[in-house]
Amino acid sequence: MAVQWSRGGPDLLVAVDRGAGALGAQIQDQLRTAIRDARLGAGERLPSSRRLAELLGVGRGTVVDVYQQLLAEGYLEAAVGSGTRVASIPSSAAATGHDEGVHPVRPGSARPVDFEYGVPDLRTVPLTDWSWAVSKATQTLPTAALGDEDLPGSRHLREVVTAYHRRVRAGCATARDAVVVSGFRQGLTFTLAALARHGLRRIALEDPGPRDHDLIARRAGLEAVPVPVDGSGVDVGRLRESGARVVLLTPAHQCPTGVALSPSRRRDLIAWADEVDGVILEDDYDAEFRYDRQPVGSLQGLSPARVIALGSVSKTLAPAIRLGWVLAPARFVAGIIEEKRLGSRGAPGLDQEALALLMETGRFDRHLRRMREIYRGRRDVLAAEVDRAFGPGRLRGLAAGCHALLQLPDRSSERAVAATAATMGVRVNPLGHYRFAGGGDPEGPRHAPALVLGFGNVDEQQIRSGIGTLARAVERQADEAEDPDATAARPARS
Amino acid sequence: MAVQWSRGGPDLLVAVDRGAGALGAQIQDQLRTAIRDARLGAGERLPSSRRLAELLGVGRGTVVDVYQQLLAEGYLEAAVGSGTRVASIPSSAAATGHDEGVHPVRPGSARPVDFEYGVPDLRTVPLTDWSWAVSKATQTLPTAALGDEDLPGSRHLREVVTAYHRRVRAGCATARDAVVVSGFRQGLTFTLAALARHGLRRIALEDPGPRDHDLIARRAGLEAVPVPVDGSGVDVGRLRESGARVVLLTPAHQCPTGVALSPSRRRDLIAWADEVDGVILEDDYDAEFRYDRQPVGSLQGLSPARVIALGSVSKTLAPAIRLGWVLAPARFVAGIIEEKRLGSRGAPGLDQEALALLMETGRFDRHLRRMREIYRGRRDVLAAEVDRAFGPGRLRGLAAGCHALLQLPDRSSERAVAATAATMGVRVNPLGHYRFAGGGDPEGPRHAPALVLGFGNVDEQQIRSGIGTLARAVERQADEAEDPDATAARPARS
């Protein structure tokens, strides 16, 4: 069924197929595509949600959800009194590190708790499905595919992964834009080397941001400069001043602050990229797990000519699977493939086929749904426990992903608290570990003390005991700061 | 049972355990170890094979075989009239590329034949064993191992691989010397980057030699220089003149000439490395497949402080498995691991465990035995067919591995023959493709025309038809060179 507005709305076809289910998703996809293809131009006013709902014969809530999603993704903008309009998307149309523990945890009588950042739940890895998929791959993979792989990676996997990215991440890449890699870091290494050969010299990194990316950038021959992150994500003004033409971002759930890049920042960022003929590297980490609404779409979908999206299954399946992808504009694909050819020849062919089968048969989505519920439960427990032990308003970045930021009392030393917690069997990283390391002062410009709490690989019971321990660690550290001789253990606060 | 010489031989203990079988291997291992540990010093004369056989109560042939093996590996030397002596091993005590096809093969009515270099038999990959091993790994791998791997790679695999390398390749590395990588190229990339950070600036590459290694070296920040290869392997005199302190070699079966590095060259090479405080990178490619005697041992065993050995299962199992290892002296291990940490985080944990299980349970060895017989059969057919079609003495480098060099008639153009063969459904690489590409002339200094025949992934019937086609291609190309207008197909020679 096709609906066309004559007045009071864009001259737009939106077809709703009632047999195909998920009406909201259908509307959303079509609006997004129309904006991308400039069939809906910047500034065009959309019908009110009520009117569009009537026109399409769907519930108004469905349309409200669609608009909110597209607002969050930067396709639409809303101004008081002027309704919802198509945002100005420039015409053309980030990175994760696990970190080595710094404080060795001395397990006490209680079960140790590891709030390490970036580790998914390892007890729920779908090993039976994986084993099935590898076995199936050994039976179905053509003999020739057992040799050196096609340079960009398995065609089958590239098709499946880009379809997934289009469907779940609102991307718009196809198999020919994709290069299979062995995970985020390998993708980043190849991409940065290719960009350096393209003449790009300086890369801006989020500060705070994922660790080691400065080292990786320098190895690729790029100069790394920090750009601050605030409550809306990366500061695009400061990015503009940095002189960099490449930026590496974690827009869906900033590492480590947990902030999602705001809609206006998303647009500013793409405008910046167009101005400087720049490149945005999107680390799509944690994007699958969003709890209040569906994940904000990939920047890649918003500006495919400017964005290189990097993804992996390290967080969705397990780091040990070691498969990822780079989705790049056409002008960079050959360069990335050449780095891959010389640097590693690629990822295991059987594993690539196995992952394609896992995704294609719905097993991957089923696992994600299951994990989303598990993580949501952990997040709720974490929020409640932190409220109880530290008071309200202390936790940031909980809308998505598997980590959050715990603000400590102002005069705490995050390092001392982490060190104290380690002696009590709880491992946690201070925020300072994620500050840009290029400068002299390891903590860089001052920041309010905070701890990065990864809750992917701790169960609810561990979260309860771990947060209690952290509260005691804060108290103990505060006491010791007042009285350095105090060494006796303090009673728990709760 | 321990035997000790009092006079007329070294003061050496050789214990033969008759219950353990493989007496020759026992004697060989113990002599090798004694020489390595300097319990047998350079120049010491060994008992005659007859006398040692008597002393140990074994057949003389056994001892002759042991001596010949150790001569080939460079541990012993033989001079006319002075018997067998311990060679002077300096006190301290390489690289493979598949190549893109250049001539697209136009398949005719006959089955196309692909003499591509470096591809193992893909129809006999032990997929059932692999599937079993992955399934087993999903059941037995500890949960924590599903996270990011230990930086050097799975401890289990490092133990199993180094035990294999000690047993089959006469190496002497242990798990702490090993870094697991995703194949030869990745190991080379990490190693070269680590060496560059160590202050090494120039690397010598075999000419002819594996392709792309100059590109890989330059990406790591090293200057690449060619060193010629002759009938005994790399020219150590020219290496000395090159000013390089790093050399990359394929000593077991030179790529592409098939020459095994001679015993005296092995010693010269290590002496060179000691002189210049240099490093030998040993590409242990093709080493498992030797047809006339057991494989010549790894250089790593001869000079563990100077040699970095790189191996993979790309030739022994399949390229699609994508696992390999670097065995390095202690002073380089941390640097290689750091490159790995930043560049890729490593290889899939489940695959690593699967390979360890495959090796540990004897399945890997069983596969190698099976493949050795298959490849031996192909080699014999290849030799017979080339003799028949081209006359005797045309084939070089057949003692080991899965490729050989076919010398063409002097005035042939190897490129033209390869191009003609491609139109007839046979893909083969001219020797010129393996010449060092740094210079201006793509063929570098002149060499006699030759083709590199990989026979790993062609069956005996394909070899027969392929060699026949090559003979016709040579004839046709010769005719066309005489009479450029001749285009009609010529009758086959045989």
Side-chain angles (χ1 to χ4, degrees):
Chain A
M1 186 186 81
V3 174
Q4 182 161 359
W5 292 283
S6 51
R7 252 183 302 275
D11 184 21
L12 167 76
L13 294 174
V14 174
V16 173
D17 179 351
R18 278 168 208 292
L23 300 182
Q26 292 183 41
I27 301 167
Q28 188 178 306
D29 283 349
Q30 292 174 59
L31 283 176
R32 200 187 275 118
T33 304
I35 296 170
R36 218 180 255 155
D37 299 350
R39 284 181 285 135
L40 274 175
E44 278 194 89
R45 207 174 80 179
L46 265 70
S48 71
S49 54
R50 183 184 309 272
R51 171 144 172 75
L52 183 55
E54 282 169 16
L55 283 165
L56 297 174
V58 302
R60 188 182 162 206
T62 301
V63 177
V64 169
D65 285 351
V66 166
Y67 280 13
Q68 288 207 333
Q69 181 67 27
L70 295 177
L71 281 163
E73 293 181 6
Y75 288 89
L76 301 180
E77 52 193 354
V80 176
S82 74
T84 303
R85 293 176 180 277
V86 175
S88 161
I89 301 177
S91 62
S92 74
T96 291
H98 303 296
D99 307 281
E100 292 72 53
V102 178
H103 306 294
V105 171
R106 224 176 291 157
S109 57
R111 203 155 50 119
V113 178
D114 191 348
F115 286 118
E116 184 54 285
Y117 165 86
V119 185
D121 194 272
L122 299 176
R123 280 155 298 190
T124 49
V125 177
L127 291 172
T128 307
D129 282 349
W130 182 253
S131 184
W132 166 84
V134 170
S135 168
K136 189 87 178 166
T138 62
Q139 292 155 29
T140 57
L141 201 65
T143 299
L146 297 170
D148 277 308
E149 66 168 330
D150 290 340
L151 288 173
S154 144
R155 173 95 201 170
H156 187 195
L157 180 59
R158 285 182 292 126
E159 280 168 355
V160 168
V161 154
T162 50
Y164 168 80
H165 192 260
R166 289 194 301 273
R167 176 169 55 81
V168 174
R169 305 290 308 116
C172 60
T174 60
R176 68 173 179 281
D177 309 312
V179 181
V180 177
V181 291
S182 76
F184 176 81
R185 285 199 171 198
Q186 187 177 69
L188 181 62
T189 297
F190 295 158
T191 301
L192 293 179
L195 293 179
R197 283 181 182 268
H198 245 261
L200 293 156
R201 289 284 161 259
R202 186 180 294 173
I203 183 170
L205 302 177
E206 293 173 309
D207 179 25
R211 298 174 67 183
D212 292 329
H213 291 177
D214 52 337
L215 296 175
I216 296 171
R218 279 181 212 123
R219 272 169 161 73
L222 293 163
E223 179 198 359
V225 295
V227 172
V229 171
D230 61 25
S232 304
V234 75
D235 183 334
V236 179
R238 297 285 295 275
L239 171 60
R240 200 168 260 119
E241 292 163 13
S242 75
R245 284 173 54 209
V246 188
V247 65
L248 174 52
L249 292 176
T250 46
H253 190 227
Q254 206 269 335
C255 164
T257 64
V259 170
L261 192 65
S262 76
S264 68
R265 287 280 173 87
R266 287 165 74 96
R267 291 194 297 274
D268 286 355
L269 189 68
I270 291 167
W272 161 83
D274 280 340
E275 280 163 36
V276 302
D277 188 17
V279 183
I280 299 163
L281 304 186
E282 178 179 33
D283 177 358
D284 215 17
Y285 162 63
D286 245 9
E288 277 86 356
F289 302 117
R290 189 161 175 105
Y291 309 109
D292 52 353
R293 58 167 171 257
Q294 75 179 98
V296 171
S298 163
L299 282 174
Q300 192 274 339
L302 206 55
S303 182
R306 292 287 168 208
V307 176
I308 300 178
L310 299 112
S312 84
V313 296
S314 295
K315 307 299 181 291
T316 48
L317 289 174
I321 304 283
R322 293 243 64 79
L323 283 171
W325 48 86
V326 180
L327 311 180
R331 67 188 181 285
F332 297 124
V333 170
I336 294 168
I337 290 173
E338 176 69 356
E339 297 302 322
K340 178 182 176 185
R341 182 178 81 84
L342 294 171
S344 90
R345 289 199 181 282
L350 289 164
D351 292 356
Q352 291 184 65
E353 180 65 10
L355 179 58
L357 292 167
L358 221 56
M359 290 180 137
E360 200 172 50
T361 56
R363 288 171 168 83
F364 182 74
D365 283 54
R366 191 175 63 200
H367 176 67
L368 284 187
R369 281 195 300 275
R370 181 178 169 216
M371 295 318 297
R372 201 173 290 124
E373 288 317 302
I374 290 175
Y375 291 145
R376 184 198 301 275
R378 290 180 188 172
R379 163 192 179 259
D380 293 347
V381 169
L382 180 72
E385 291 297 314
V386 167
D387 276 6
R388 199 161 68 85
F390 290 87
R394 287 282 168 189
L395 217 45
R396 279 165 41 187
L398 266 184
C402 295
H403 70 266
L405 203 62
L406 172 62
Q407 300 283 165
L408 295 178
D410 277 352
R411 281 179 299 180
S412 310
S413 156
E414 59 186 31
R415 285 171 181 254
V417 171
T420 302
T423 67
M424 300 162 79
V426 173
R427 175 161 134 173
V428 64
N429 283 309
L431 176 59
H433 283 189
Y434 298 84
R435 297 303 306 270
F436 190 81
D441 177 5
E443 299 231 346
R446 293 185 63 79
H447 60 263
L451 300 176
V452 179
L453 295 178
F455 56 88
N457 197 30
V458 282
D459 62 29
E460 297 183 5
Q461 181 48 43
Q462 285 174 308
I463 292 173
R464 285 191 191 93
S465 77
I467 295 301
T469 303
L470 283 181
R472 288 196 297 280
V474 168
E475 205 169 310
R476 189 186 287 185
Q477 190 264 324
D479 291 352
E480 285 172 4
E482 277 172 27
D483 173 10
D485 294 331
T487 52
R490 303 279 151 174
R493 184 150 87 176
S494 60
Chain B
M1 183 187 85
V3 174
Q4 181 161 0
W5 293 283
S6 50
R7 252 183 301 275
D11 183 22
L12 168 75
L13 293 174
V14 173
V16 173
D17 177 351
R18 278 166 207 292
L23 299 182
Q26 292 184 40
I27 301 167
Q28 189 178 307
D29 282 350
Q30 291 175 59
L31 283 176
R32 200 187 276 116
T33 304
I35 295 169
R36 217 181 255 155
D37 300 350
R39 283 183 284 135
L40 275 175
E44 277 193 87
R45 207 174 80 180
L46 265 70
S48 70
S49 54
R50 183 184 308 273
R51 170 141 173 74
L52 182 54
E54 283 172 12
L55 282 166
L56 296 175
V58 302
R60 188 180 162 205
T62 302
V63 177
V64 168
D65 285 351
V66 166
Y67 281 12
Q68 289 207 334
Q69 182 67 26
L70 295 177
L71 281 163
E73 293 182 5
Y75 288 89
L76 301 180
E77 53 193 356
V80 178
S82 74
T84 304
R85 291 175 183 278
V86 175
S88 162
I89 301 178
S91 61
S92 74
T96 291
H98 303 297
D99 307 281
E100 293 70 54
V102 178
H103 306 293
V105 172
R106 224 177 292 159
S109 57
R111 201 154 51 118
V113 179
D114 190 348
F115 286 119
E116 184 54 283
Y117 164 86
V119 186
D121 194 87
L122 299 177
R123 281 156 298 192
T124 50
V125 177
L127 290 172
T128 306
D129 282 348
W130 182 254
S131 186
W132 166 85
V134 170
S135 169
K136 189 87 179 168
T138 62
Q139 292 155 30
T140 58
L141 201 64
T143 298
L146 297 170
D148 277 308
E149 67 168 331
D150 290 339
L151 288 172
S154 144
R155 173 93 202 174
H156 187 195
L157 180 58
R158 286 183 290 126
E159 279 169 357
V160 168
V161 155
T162 50
Y164 168 80
H165 191 259
R166 290 194 301 272
R167 175 168 56 81
V168 175
R169 305 291 306 119
C172 60
T174 59
R176 70 174 179 279
D177 308 314
V179 181
V180 177
V181 291
S182 77
F184 177 81
R185 283 198 174 200
Q186 186 176 70
L188 181 62
T189 297
F190 294 157
T191 301
L192 293 180
L195 293 179
R197 284 180 181 268
H198 245 260
L200 292 155
R201 291 282 161 261
R202 186 179 294 173
I203 183 170
L205 302 177
E206 294 173 307
D207 180 24
R211 297 175 68 183
D212 292 328
H213 290 177
D214 51 339
L215 296 176
I216 296 171
R218 279 182 212 121
R219 271 171 161 71
L222 293 164
E223 179 198 1
V225 295
V227 172
V229 170
D230 62 24
S232 305
V234 74
D235 183 333
V236 179
R238 297 286 293 276
L239 171 60
R240 201 167 260 119
E241 292 163 13
S242 75
R245 283 172 54 207
V246 187
V247 65
L248 174 53
L249 291 175
T250 46
H253 190 227
Q254 207 270 333
C255 163
T257 65
V259 170
L261 191 66
S262 77
S264 68
R265 287 280 172 86
R266 288 165 73 96
R267 291 194 298 274
D268 286 356
L269 188 68
I270 291 166
W272 162 83
D274 279 339
E275 280 163 37
V276 302
D277 189 17
V279 183
I280 300 162
L281 304 186
E282 177 179 33
D283 178 357
D284 216 18
Y285 162 62
D286 246 8
E288 277 86 356
F289 302 117
R290 188 161 177 106
Y291 309 110
D292 53 352
R293 59 166 170 257
Q294 75 179 96
V296 171
S298 163
L299 281 174
Q300 191 274 338
L302 206 55
S303 182
R306 291 287 167 208
V307 176
I308 299 178
L310 299 112
S312 84
V313 296
S314 295
K315 308 299 180 291
T316 47
L317 290 173
I321 303 282
R322 293 241 66 78
L323 282 171
W325 48 88
V326 180
L327 312 179
R331 67 188 180 285
F332 297 124
V333 170
I336 294 168
I337 290 173
E338 177 68 356
E339 297 302 321
K340 177 181 177 186
R341 182 178 81 85
L342 293 171
S344 90
R345 289 200 181 281
L350 288 164
D351 293 357
Q352 292 184 65
E353 179 65 11
L355 178 58
L357 291 168
L358 222 57
M359 290 181 136
E360 199 173 50
T361 56
R363 287 170 167 84
F364 183 75
D365 282 54
R366 190 175 64 200
H367 176 67
L368 284 188
R369 282 195 299 275
R370 179 175 171 218
M371 295 318 299
R372 200 172 290 124
E373 287 318 302
I374 290 174
Y375 291 144
R376 185 199 300 276
R378 291 180 187 171
R379 163 192 180 257
D380 292 348
V381 169
L382 180 72
E385 291 298 314
V386 167
D387 276 6
R388 199 159 69 84
F390 290 87
R394 287 281 168 189
L395 217 44
R396 278 164 42 186
L398 266 184
C402 293
H403 71 266
L405 203 62
L406 171 61
Q407 300 283 166
L408 295 177
D410 278 351
R411 281 179 302 179
S412 311
S413 158
E414 59 185 31
R415 284 171 180 256
V417 170
T420 302
T423 68
M424 302 162 78
V426 173
R427 174 162 134 176
V428 63
N429 283 310
L431 177 58
H433 283 187
Y434 298 84
R435 297 304 305 270
F436 190 81
D441 177 5
E443 299 231 349
R446 293 186 63 79
H447 60 263
L451 300 175
V452 179
L453 294 177
F455 55 91
N457 198 29
V458 283
D459 64 28
E460 297 182 5
Q461 181 49 43
Q462 286 174 307
I463 293 173
R464 286 191 190 91
S465 78
I467 295 300
T469 304
L470 282 181
R472 289 194 298 281
V474 168
E475 206 169 309
R476 189 187 287 184
Q477 189 266 325
D479 291 352
E480 285 173 4
E482 277 172 27
D483 174 9
D485 293 331
T487 53
R490 303 281 152 171
R493 182 151 87 177
S494 60

